[in-house]
Amino acid sequence: MRIGIVGAGRIGGGAARMFARAGHEVLVSGSRDPGELQPLADEVGGRAATPREAVQFGEVVLFAVPWRAVDDVLAPLGSLEGKIVIDTTNQFGPGGWQDLGGRTAAQVNAERMPGARYTKSFNTLTAGFQAEASRRTGADRVAMFYCGDDEAAKAVVGGLIEDAGFVPIDLGGTADAAPMEAPRREGALYGEEYREAEAREAAEALRAGRALPPTPKY
Ligand SMILES: NC(=O)c1ccc[n+]([C@@H]2O[C@H](COP(=O)([O-])OP(=O)(O)OC[C@H]3O[C@@H](n4cnc5c(N)ncnc54)[C@H](OP(=O)(O)O)[C@@H]3O)[C@@H](O)[C@H]2O)c1
């Protein structure tokens, strides 16, 4: 698929490498001059351009910018109509974690991206850990949680998560995203390594409205 990366930093750059390794076409962008991203573009066999071009290029857009920059980045992007968006952002602002008044960060960002086929993923594990874990095989493979309100978009994103080297675990809609969102805390999945069996058990518990089983230790 054609994947436009908006914010090719630690998370976006890492995702670009994983998607390219799986044979996807990648375009990387950030706030800087595209020329500065050329080494990364060369590494992933793709192109470097502006965020707006990344959106025009991508059937899928991976969105990986700091929370505080979201509105500024979205403003010049143009229409996201029909684009499958994978949002990786976590709600950390100047004073640390942001309380969103009972809404999930996924709900807040989905609203800020009208027309987009919004999903959220690649946000619960550090960029360094993702790079390492994406190369694992068999029973050691790591779960990547995702959510969204558009089932067809989620099916595409589930496939891309698998291509990136993870086990996709569907946590439901944007209203169900809280357990996969910051901060790291007791009773949440955010920041924790899960492998397939425990991840499926956790997702099942959340669907049934039960407390999460204890966080796995490997
Ligand atoms: N780092 C992690 O381990 C991790 C883990 C999970 C989730 N996340 C989340 O993923 C998101 C990205 O984090 P990161 O660590 O990858 O950040 P990062 O390494 O600082 O990269 C941020 C990217 O956003 C771009 N950017 C910033 N302001 C911009 C603007 N106004 N217009 C266009 N592009 C802009 C930067 O471009 P330039 O470099 O060209 O300025 C850079 O490509 C954050 O929301 C974070 O909470 C991070």
Side-chain angles (χ1 to χ4, degrees):
M1 297 192 81
R2 289 192 313 277
I3 304 175
I5 308 282
V6 174
R10 283 166 292 185
I11 285 290
R17 291 183 180 94
M18 295 178 225
F19 291 142
R21 204 162 66 215
H24 296 290
E25 278 181 76
V26 177
L27 187 152
V28 292
S29 72
S31 72
R32 66 191 65 196
D33 186 90
E36 287 184 46
L37 284 171
Q38 197 53 49
L40 173 62
D42 290 343
E43 185 188 334
V44 300
R47 277 205 290 135
T50 65
R52 193 180 169 93
E53 287 169 312
V55 168
Q56 286 162 356
F57 169 86
E59 299 161 88
V60 173
V61 175
L62 182 116
F63 192 76
V65 304
W67 181 261
R68 65 175 182 281
V70 170
D71 284 326
D72 287 347
V73 176
L74 286 174
L77 279 191
S79 172
L80 289 169
E81 191 69 43
K83 299 287 182 179
I84 296 176
V85 170
I86 307 174
D87 179 19
T88 74
T89 60
N90 291 316
Q91 71 277 36
F92 293 109
W97 173 77
Q98 307 285 289
D99 183 346
L100 302 173
R103 292 196 306 157
T104 66
Q107 287 175 304
V108 170
N109 274 0
E111 259 181 50
R112 295 202 268 191
M113 302 183 194
R117 304 174 66 195
Y118 177 93
T119 72
K120 176 165 187 167
S121 192
F122 291 89
N123 71 299
T124 69
L125 300 166
T126 66
F129 183 74
Q130 289 187 31
E132 181 264 301
S134 68
R135 294 184 178 275
R136 295 198 201 164
T137 54
D140 291 342
R141 283 201 311 153
V142 168
M144 187 64 84
F145 297 105
Y146 67 114
C147 70
D149 300 325
D150 178 325
E151 290 302 326
K154 274 206 309 196
V156 172
V157 171
L160 290 176
I161 291 171
E162 187 123 28
D163 289 348
F166 301 96
V167 182
I169 302 288
D170 182 354
L171 281 195
T174 54
D176 306 311
M180 60 177 278
E181 293 189 337
R184 192 175 185 190
R185 63 202 185 278
E186 202 57 39
L189 307 160
Y190 177 81
E192 309 294 347
E193 175 182 346
Y194 275 76
R195 298 184 193 166
E196 182 165 6
E198 295 77 19
R200 292 204 185 284
E201 231 180 282
E204 185 51 45
L206 291 171
R207 256 195 302 279
R210 299 193 305 269
L212 282 178
T215 305
K217 301 263 177 282
Y218 301 107

